[in-house]
Amino acid sequence: PIHNRMPVILAPAAYAAWLDPNERRPEELSHLLAPYPAEFMAAYPVSRQVNSPQNDNPACVTPLEA
């Protein structure tokens, strides 16, 4: 059983392999489950609209003014 249910961030080069509907062997994809490099991520404040799943629009990811 899988005990760690953390989300995964994939590099764009891994998208095709991860989404391949013909891949039926999870062990062939496990090498993709590695920590994503922090230097490729960014953090910034966003609107509180992200707190509701009813809000599915660009405002949810638009950075707030400082």
Side-chain angles (χ1 to χ4, degrees):
I2 296 175
H3 297 287
N4 187 350
R5 299 197 191 270
M6 294 295 296
V8 63
I9 301 173
L10 299 173
Y15 293 173
W18 188 259
L19 296 172
D20 181 356
N22 297 312
E23 180 57 68
R24 300 282 187 245
R25 298 162 296 163
E27 64 276 4
E28 294 297 317
L29 301 173
S30 63
H31 69 281
L32 299 175
L33 303 178
Y36 197 74
E39 61 268 18
F40 296 130
M41 294 189 270
Y44 51 85
V46 295
S47 165
R48 290 183 177 211
Q49 288 188 41
V50 300
N51 294 332
S52 173
Q54 294 176 324
N55 298 322
D56 185 11
N57 60 64
C60 291
V61 294
T62 302
L64 291 177
E65 298 284 329

